[in-house]
Amino acid sequence: MKLYLIVAKGKHRGMPIPIGIDLFVIGSGKACQLRARHPRLADQHTALVTRERKVFLRDLGSGMSTFVNGEELPASEEWPLHKGDTIAMGPLEFRISFSEKALNQRDLEEWALTTLDYDTGPKKSALQELADIEHRVHEHHHDAASAAGAIMAQMSALKGVVRGRLRITREGAISVIKVNETYLVEEAELAHVKKELHDNLDVTNQRVLLDLKNVRKMSTAAVKLFADLNQWLSLRASKLALCRLRPELVSLADEMRSLFHLRVFAEKEDAINTRW
């Protein structure tokens, strides 16, 4: 999978810039891999850092601002990046994206513009999108085309909706949120996860099940995040439970049960078949 910066504004909007090295510096100086002269762009302004198959944006301490999704990055700090994130510095603005296959230049430019137009459009929450899919599955069908559309909708419902680090599906009356992160430790990563959870779960009268099967390491800050999420959902008359924590996280599971009164299930099926 290859990383691209897609120019998000200006006369070069939609131009894909491939990132093929582990340290890609952006600024006005000659040593930068991406160089532009502008009074609001430092000699070495910011850098994309690829480490252990993850991508980070690092502010290089120039005193000039770097932004991720509209929020200023603290000086000389790193921030994890994911598909769809917007980064900006000086007059430059880019969208982060990945291509799973090699494309010729014409197809690559078309893909970049399509990606940019899709990402910048209005986006429903995952639960709203799933509700629309379920409606298409159950509506009456009067011809072969609409019936085929219903089959496709049913397949989409089974796959769920991906929002950043989350895959969200419906299992009966329960919204299942699978967290697709291995480490819930870094403050910046937790801030991303929190925002994605809030953006996609701001509904009422829901049962929300967090599936943590993929999480190998979790900090006490992550436990606090789930406790705060539980309280946030309770204000919306919704309930939260967790499932499939790895054996090495059992002590944290006990903490969540005792201190924050969170339901923690060993298996997803147990949570789905239990009243809570």
Side-chain angles (χ1 to χ4, degrees), residues 19 41 66 77 96 98 101 144 161:
I19 309 299
L41 203 61
T66 301
E77 290 194 12
I96 301 295
F98 298 86
K101 58 182 180 180
V161 174

Side-chain angles (χ1 to χ4, degrees), residues 155-216:
M155 292 174 65
S156 296
L158 291 172
K159 288 172 60 180
V161 174
V162 175
R163 289 287 188 270
R165 303 138 196 83
L166 311 176
R167 179 178 290 277
I168 305 175
T169 57
R170 292 283 293 176
E171 298 272 358
I174 298 177
S175 301
V176 180
I177 319 296
K178 190 172 185 179
V179 179
N180 291 323
E181 276 295 335
T182 305
Y183 301 105
L184 292 177
V185 176
E186 296 181 11
E187 182 179 345
E189 195 66 56
L190 294 176
H192 272 294
V193 172
K194 178 179 178 179
K195 184 178 186 304
E196 287 165 0
L197 287 167
H198 283 215
D199 286 348
N200 290 288
L201 298 178
D202 194 5
V203 292
T204 58
N205 297 304
Q206 293 284 325
R207 280 196 292 164
V208 177
L209 179 64
L210 278 183
D211 183 350
L212 301 178
K213 179 184 178 181
N214 291 335
V215 178
R216 294 171 181 254

